[in-house]
C-alpha cells in the first residue's frame, strides 16, 4: 500500500493502517523536497501496489500522475473524506 500525500489525510490514513495492524505501507509525495518521503516517481515496481491518493485539494492531479506512471489500483480517498 502506498499512501500518496503526506498532509492531514495521509497522516490520518497512516494512523488508521497502523491501528488496524496493516504495517506494509509507505508514504510518498509528488516532488522530492522532504527527506522524510520519497517521490512517487521513484517507485519502480508497480505490480501488486495499491495507491491511496490522500488529498482533498490536489486529488485529481495526483490521480492523473499515478495513472501516467502506470499504477493500476488507485483509490481516491477524497470520496471517503468528510467535507
Amino acid at each position: 500500500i502506498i499512501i500518496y500525500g503526506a498532509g492531514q489525510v495521509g497522516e490520518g490514513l497512516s494512523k488508521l493502517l497502523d491501528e488496524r495492524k496493516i504495517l506494509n505501507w509507505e508514504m510518498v509525495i509528488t516532488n522530492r523536497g522532504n527527506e522524510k518521503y520519497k517521490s512517487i516517481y521513484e517507485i519502480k515496481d508497480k505490480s501488486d501496489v495499491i495507491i491511496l491518493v490522500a488529498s482533498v485539494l490536489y486529488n485529481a492531479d495526483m490521480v492523473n500522475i499515478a495513472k501516467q506512471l502506470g499504477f493500476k489500483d488507485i483509490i481516491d480517498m477524497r470520496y471517503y473524506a468528510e467535507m
Side-chain angles (χ1 to χ4, degrees):
I1 297 174
I2 305 289
I3 299 173
Y4 180 20
Q8 290 179 338
V9 179
E11 289 298 326
L13 281 171
S14 70
K15 289 178 186 175
L16 175 67
L17 293 174
D18 286 344
E19 288 170 3
R20 302 291 172 115
K21 307 286 190 249
I22 300 170
L23 305 176
N24 191 19
W25 62 268
E26 177 179 10
M27 188 176 291
V28 300
I29 56 178
T30 302
N31 296 312
R32 190 155 174 95
N34 181 330
E35 293 300 316
K36 187 175 178 181
Y37 308 108
K38 69 181 180 181
S39 169
I40 193 168
Y41 293 99
E42 296 176 70
I43 300 171
K44 302 299 179 207
D45 184 8
K46 295 171 179 62
S47 62
D48 297 324
V49 173
I50 297 172
I51 300 288
L52 302 178
V53 175
S55 176
V56 175
L57 298 176
Y58 305 106
N59 62 304
D61 291 336
M62 293 165 73
V63 166
N64 286 335
I65 289 169
K67 285 180 180 177
Q68 289 172 1
L69 291 173
F71 292 99
K72 302 294 182 210
D73 294 317
I74 304 165
I75 300 171
D76 185 349
M77 298 306 298
R78 179 179 182 268
Y79 296 109
Y80 302 99
E82 290 183 10
M83 300 300 266

